[in-house]
């Protein structure tokens, strides 16, 4: 297993040659997905989209029946006269492809599909658009004048919304990592807590940075022994960004939190106390769940 391989490399300094989880096929990863990709109609309500993002655990939803007509107009050079050309002979395969209509890739649509791949057919102009949680938060922020006092709720109230009904009105201690914890410990804690990121704190408990599960993607069979190093050394050696995360305090409003998430292009905000110690995390999912 992976842990046996790590221990072997820590002791010997070389790979054992035994198969580990990194040798599994991509097909096995696809089959193990907890949720298949979800699709939604362009005519569905924003509330239905939020439910997919929050209750179904989706980070990206496909809109498959969005007809934007001539949103991608053909560009022509009006100053250059067009010269008629003789039609070129086509093969049977070319003629068959022409009868089906060509599939073309267009540029991203502003706001709704920013940073998403957009494809459409010339015949029906059908667009396949991937919407992310970030896209929806930005849309809501652009329409903040319609939400009135909904955006005035405090960061502490947003964090408390995740608490079960009837539970004590006190935030549970947040899982974290110390600068002495190994990268392997970080990976185990990410798995056990089922969160996407963990805060890293110093000896005084102050927030230094965060470790996200996406950083493990750079792990390869030849450097798997790096998991035995302290988490910060692991991040430096794999050229992972060690940056100060987005921090908010109890008095921050939801509007301020959303603005910060969009401005810093991040997925989460860490709620800290007066001593800069993390006490909770507010993710894009938490923000969207507030509006349901």
């Amino acid at each position: 297993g992976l842990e046996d391989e790590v221990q072997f490399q820590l002791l010997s300094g070389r790979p054992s040659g035994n198969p580990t989880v990194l040798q599994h096929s991509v097909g096995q990863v696809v089959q193990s997905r907890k949720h298949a990709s979800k699709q939604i109609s362009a005519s569905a309500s924003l509330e239905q989209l939020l439910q997919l993002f929050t209750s179904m655990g989706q980070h990206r939803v496909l809109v498959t029946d969005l007809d934007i007509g001539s949103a991608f107009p053909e560009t022509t050079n009006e100053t250059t006269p067009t010269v008629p050309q003789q039609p070129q002979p086509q093969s049977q395969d070319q003629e068959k492809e022409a009868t089906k209509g060509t599939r073309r890739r267009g540029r991203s649509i502003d706001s709704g599909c920013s940073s998403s791949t957009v494809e459409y057919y010339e015949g029906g102009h059908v667009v396949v658009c991937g919407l992310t949680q970030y896209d929806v938060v930005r849309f809501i922020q652009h329409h903040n004048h319609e939400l009135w006092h909904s955006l005035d709720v405090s960061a502490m109230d947003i964090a408390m919304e995740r608490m079960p009904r009837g539970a004590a009105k006190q935030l549970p201690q947040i899982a974290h990592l110390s600068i002495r914890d190994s990268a392997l410990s970080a990976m185990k804690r990410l798995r056990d807590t089922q969160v996407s990121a963990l805060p890293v704190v110093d000896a005084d408990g102050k927030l230094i940075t965060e470790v996200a599960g996406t950083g493990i993607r750079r792990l390869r069979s030849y450097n798997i022994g790096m998991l035995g190093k302290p988490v910060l050394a692991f991040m430096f050696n794999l050229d992972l960004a060690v940056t100060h995360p987005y921090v908010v305090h109890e008095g921050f409003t939801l509007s301020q939190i959303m603005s910060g998430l969009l401005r810093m292009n991040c997925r989460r905000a860490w709620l800290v106390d007066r001593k800069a110690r993390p006490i909770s995390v507010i993710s894009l999912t938490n923000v969207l769940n507030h509006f349901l």
Side-chain angles (χ1 to χ4, degrees):
L2 180 60
E3 295 180 20
D4 294 333
E5 177 69 14
V6 172
Q7 293 298 329
F8 183 90
Q9 289 198 30
L10 292 178
L11 295 174
S12 66
R14 60 184 177 82
S16 66
N18 296 327
T20 69
V21 67
L22 299 180
Q23 276 70 55
H24 290 324
S25 69
V26 175
Q28 290 175 283
V29 179
V30 173
Q31 293 175 358
S32 68
R33 289 181 305 171
K34 184 178 180 180
H35 301 289
S37 297
K38 300 296 181 181
Q39 299 180 4
I40 193 169
S41 169
S43 60
S45 67
L46 183 58
E47 181 180 4
Q48 292 174 292
L49 180 60
L50 294 187
Q51 289 173 345
L52 284 179
F53 280 137
T54 56
S55 17
M56 300 297 293
Q58 297 294 307
H59 294 289
R60 181 181 294 272
V61 175
L62 294 180
V63 183
T64 57
D65 60 347
L66 180 61
D67 191 348
I68 60 173
S70 58
F72 303 118
E74 297 291 339
T75 56
T76 59
N77 189 347
E78 296 179 357
T79 62
T80 303
T82 57
V83 179
Q85 296 182 358
Q86 296 295 328
Q88 299 295 324
Q90 293 182 329
S91 65
Q92 291 183 352
D93 290 340
Q94 290 174 326
E95 291 178 356
K96 184 177 180 180
E97 184 66 22
T99 57
K100 292 193 303 181
T102 56
R103 186 175 188 177
R104 305 186 55 194
R105 186 183 302 274
R107 61 179 181 272
S108 296
I109 304 175
D110 184 32
S111 182
C113 304
S114 177
S115 303
S116 302
T117 299
V118 179
E119 293 184 340
Y120 73 103
Y121 291 91
E122 284 186 335
H125 296 284
V126 178
V127 172
V128 177
C129 172
L131 284 178
T132 66
Q133 292 183 339
Y134 187 90
D135 293 324
V136 179
V137 169
R138 181 173 54 185
F139 178 85
I140 293 175
Q141 183 71 348
H142 285 173
H143 293 75
N144 55 13
H145 57 282
E146 302 177 25
L147 299 172
W148 297 95
H149 301 296
S150 296
L151 297 179
D152 293 335
V153 61
S154 70
M156 179 59 75
D157 289 335
I158 294 294
M160 294 296 296
E161 286 179 355
R162 304 203 310 270
M163 300 291 295
R165 293 183 179 179
K169 295 298 182 180
Q170 184 177 0
L171 290 174
Q173 184 176 6
I174 188 173
H176 65 274
L177 299 165
S178 74
I179 55 177
R180 299 184 182 87
D181 286 327
S182 68
L184 181 59
S185 298
M187 189 171 67
K188 289 180 179 178
R189 204 160 301 170
L190 284 167
R191 177 199 62 192
D192 296 340
T193 56
Q194 296 183 347
V195 295
S196 59
L198 287 169
V200 181
V201 301
D202 62 14
D204 297 323
K206 295 181 179 180
L207 180 64
I208 298 177
T209 187
E210 65 180 22
V211 174
T214 51
I216 308 298
R217 294 175 182 172
R218 297 195 181 184
L219 194 64
R220 301 292 184 269
S221 58
Y222 62 84
N223 61 14
I224 198 172
M226 292 293 299
L227 287 173
K229 292 186 174 295
V231 62
L232 293 183
F234 171 84
M235 296 174 70
F236 281 123
N237 280 273
L238 268 67
D239 295 324
L240 299 175
V242 182
T243 57
H244 197 283
Y246 177 41
V247 171
V248 299
H249 298 274
E250 297 181 14
F252 275 52
T253 65
L254 178 57
S255 179
Q256 292 173 317
I257 295 172
M258 292 170 62
S259 296
L261 290 171
L262 296 173
R263 184 179 65 255
M264 299 184 65
N265 192 25
C266 53
R267 295 195 53 82
R268 63 193 66 85
W270 296 100
L271 177 60
V272 299
D273 61 16
R274 295 181 179 179
K275 296 183 178 180
R277 297 175 299 191
I279 57 177
S280 187
V281 61
I282 300 174
S283 66
L284 291 175
T285 303
N286 302 140
V287 170
L288 295 178
N289 190 65
H290 172 74
F291 297 101
L292 291 176

